[in-house]
Every structure is written in C-alpha cells, then in structure tokens.
Amino acid sequence: MKRIAVMTSGGDAPGMNAALRAVVRAALAKGIEVYGIRQAYSGLLAGDFERLTNREVSGILQRGGTILQTARNDEFRTPRGQQKGLRRLNEHGIEGLVCIGGDGSLRGAMSLHNLGIKVVGIPGSIDNDIYGTDMSIGVDTALNTILDSLDRLRDTATSHERAFLIEVMGRNCGYLALVGGVLGGAELTLIPEKQLDLEEIGGRLEDAYMRGKNHAIAVIAEGARPNIHEVAKFLEERRIGFEVRITILGHIQRGGSPTAFDRLLASRMGIKAIELLHGGTSGVMVGLRGQEIVPVPLEDVTTKHQPASLDYYEMADILSR
Ligand code: F6P
C-alpha cells in the first residue's frame, strides 16, 4: 500500500486530532503517503484532499475539534454518492482509507469497503454508542466537562436550595447521563434506555427535599422521555419543595482539550488502524476491549446497537440516597 487517505466525520470529538496525528505518523513511518480529506464525505465528493506530512500534524495533539473539519452529508448516503466517492479516491490513487467518526460515518466507510477500497474505522464520538468498543474517542473528555459543570451547578443549587435539571448530550444513548450522574452525585438520572413516568420523577425529587437535602441534581439525557422541559413543567405544577431551574449543557460538551485517557486511546487506535491497513485488513473498526485494541468487523459495528449499561443505573440508585 503506497497511499492512503484519512478523514474525521460526524460530530467532532476531543481526541480526533490526536488520532489523526497518530494515523499520519504511523503511516509515514511505514513509507505510506497520507492525504487528509477536508470536511469528511462532503470533501470526499468535492475532491478536497490535502497531502499530510509530519509537519501538518505537529502541535495538534492537545487541540479539541478537528483540523480536517467535519460535516454531515446526505448525498453520500446514496449509492450514486458512494460511487462518486470511490471515483474521487481512485483519481487520487488512494488505496486505503481511515475514517475517524461515529456510527453514521462508519456506515459510510463500510459502503466504501463494499466497493473495494481498504477501510479501517476509528470510533470517535462523545456519545459512547458505537458497538464494539468499550470507549470511543472523546467520551472521557466530555464526561469530565459534564462533571465540571455538575460540580459548579451544585454550588449554586445548594446555596439557593434548588433542584437543577441538567440536560446532557448522547443522542439516543444514555451513557453520558448515566456515568455523569453517578460520578457527579446526581439525585436522579433519566436515560432513553429506562423510562420513568412524571409522577415517579416528582416523587423522587420531593423525597430528596423531605429527607432534608439542600439541593437536587437531575441529569437528563437529551434522548430521554419525558424530556427536560416536560419534567420542569410538571415539577413546577406539583410543587416539590425545591425551586426548579434548567441548564442545557449543549455543545460545550463537545469542545476542549482531550484528557490523558483520550489522547492515549486516540494514539493507540491510530497506530493500530495503520498496522491493520498495512497488513491488508479491511472492513474493520479498531475497538477497545478491556485493555486491548482489537479489530471489530464493520458489519457488526454498523448493524448492532450498544445501549448504556444498566449496571450503572442500579449503582446510581444506591449512591443517590
Ligand atoms: O453525536 C454527537 C452529538 O453531539 C450528539 O450527542 C448530539 O445529539 C448531536 O451530535 C448534535 O449534533 P449537531 O452538532 O449536528 O447539532
């Protein structure tokens, strides 16, 4: 293999730059030329390629976001778009592709693998919803941002004896809410994987008030039902004792310098991806299983679902008393 391309795709995640740096440097060390595709599948279709050397990836290890930029693209979801993508890769003499991104992005990578390009995926998404890896790049940094926010919000919640409802990201997966709730000492956590009704939610927070707590923190996943606004409205009407305030953390969770964990994970995954591609492997994603970085078939990654572990839910229940 003489020339490969690399892209970052889907929502950005802290550590994508660290993964990109590892991919480029590991490939160059094996004598493989690397091209960066700007703005993911949009850039692929537009032929927006840039030669990357060790210098282009210098000084990016600690930077959040992605220097290649990213995008969500509808055209590439169609067979015609995928063919056009293959053509662009052929025009540039690209034999292999490393795609760093979430499940949607890896589905795109899978389609290129099916068209004959050698492809290895790297899981990059703060949601931790990608099948086949214990952790995706960016999750740890996002969790630390959530914890920092919860700690700050508790200060003001306690000072005013208020209940704070805090919405965190995660799309349809409750991982960030669940682990954020456990580690941030939340009184209540709502996730898409386990629905509670409004009466139960009100009862739990009222109970915290009656037991003499001087604040209540409820962490609510963006995909949870009822959603944060419905919960707030219900609590206002029910009068649970605490005054209620809402905070939506939003895209703050996606930014920032990657933690040590994310830098290490990204660097290990980047090196492993090149090792696999160089050895002729295609159609896999590199995943973290325990302490090991292992190949996982993209077929599984793109068809199976990884919900948040309900073990954490029980843990949250015991620790929130
Ligand atoms: O997948 C990452 C994520 O941040 C989700 O948690 C969230 O639902 C979504 O992306 C937001 O997407 P956008 O930045 O396109 O609004």
Side-chain angles (χ1 to χ4, degrees):
M1 187 166 289
K2 294 212 167 50
R3 186 178 290 168
I4 63 165
V6 55
M7 65 160 76
T8 51
S9 176
D12 61 334
M16 279 184 162
N17 282 327
L20 173 67
R21 171 179 176 269
V23 165
V24 171
R25 292 193 170 167
L28 293 175
K30 291 193 184 300
I32 304 171
E33 255 180 21
V34 186
Y35 278 76
I37 303 174
R38 267 191 233 96
Q39 297 188 346
Y41 293 106
S42 302
L44 172 62
L45 297 178
D48 196 354
F49 292 52
E50 170 197 10
R51 175 90 186 270
L52 298 176
T53 70
N54 282 326
R55 294 291 65 78
E56 275 76 40
V57 294
S58 175
I60 65 168
L61 176 64
Q62 77 293 353
R63 282 171 60 184
T66 157
I67 60 159
L68 282 180
Q69 298 189 297
T70 180
R72 304 193 197 272
N73 182 286
D74 286 333
E75 188 186 351
F76 194 75
R77 290 180 215 270
T78 65
R80 200 172 153 70
Q82 290 157 13
Q83 254 182 347
K84 191 166 154 191
L86 174 67
R87 188 178 151 134
R88 293 281 177 259
L89 291 170
N90 288 338
E91 282 165 3
H92 287 80
I94 307 278
E95 296 162 84
L97 173 72
V98 177
C99 173
I100 308 166
D103 51 356
S105 310
L106 295 171
R107 257 192 296 282
M110 174 82 183
S111 66
L112 287 169
H113 162 76
N114 289 338
L115 290 174
I117 290 282
K118 293 215 179 307
V119 171
V120 175
I122 298 183
S125 164
I126 65 164
D127 300 340
N128 217 25
D129 58 348
I130 303 174
Y131 179 86
T133 186
D134 296 346
M135 290 288 271
S136 298
I137 295 169
V139 175
D140 186 65
T141 307
L143 264 180
N144 278 288
T145 304
I146 290 169
L147 293 184
D148 181 58
S149 307
L150 292 184
D151 293 349
R152 287 165 193 265
L153 289 168
R154 180 176 299 94
D155 289 346
T156 177
T158 306
S159 305
H160 287 265
E161 288 219 348
R162 282 174 173 162
F164 265 77
L165 311 182
I166 301 140
E167 186 186 276
V168 302
M169 278 188 167
R171 210 180 282 272
N172 300 316
C173 177
Y175 182 91
L176 287 177
L178 206 46
V179 179
V182 170
L183 303 182
E187 275 64 37
L188 179 73
T189 305
L190 301 182
I191 56 171
E193 291 86 347
K194 185 143 174 91
Q195 204 167 346
L196 294 187
D197 64 33
L198 285 166
E199 284 296 337
E200 202 171 346
I201 294 166
R204 293 254 200 119
L205 294 176
E206 195 166 32
D207 187 46
Y209 183 79
M210 293 316 240
R211 278 185 285 123
K213 285 211 168 192
N214 52 15
H215 63 257
I217 300 288
V219 179
I220 304 181
E222 65 176 345
R225 294 294 170 269
N227 68 28
I228 192 166
H229 302 289
E230 291 159 347
V231 174
K233 185 165 176 285
F234 177 81
L235 296 179
E236 292 285 6
E237 284 162 9
R238 177 169 164 147
R239 298 185 185 279
I240 52 163
F242 295 116
E243 252 191 301
V244 177
R245 291 289 185 274
I246 283 183
T247 300
I248 294 176
L249 292 187
H251 288 78
I252 286 189
Q253 295 161 94
R254 287 237 298 258
S257 185
T259 56
F261 180 92
D262 273 329
R263 293 183 203 197
L264 181 61
L265 183 68
S267 303
R268 291 180 71 199
M269 285 182 162
I271 287 178
K272 185 73 178 181
I274 292 303
E275 196 182 295
L276 290 165
L277 213 47
H278 186 245
T281 304
S282 178
V284 299
M285 177 192 82
V286 290
L288 178 70
R289 286 263 172 84
Q291 298 297 315
E292 299 290 309
I293 307 287
V294 297
V296 185
L298 275 177
E299 179 75 46
D300 290 347
V301 174
T302 54
T303 53
K304 295 185 178 168
H305 183 55
Q306 176 151 297
S309 161
L310 289 180
D311 293 350
Y312 288 122
Y313 199 81
E314 279 173 30
M315 198 171 159
D317 206 33
I318 296 167
L319 297 181
S320 65
R321 300 288 149 173

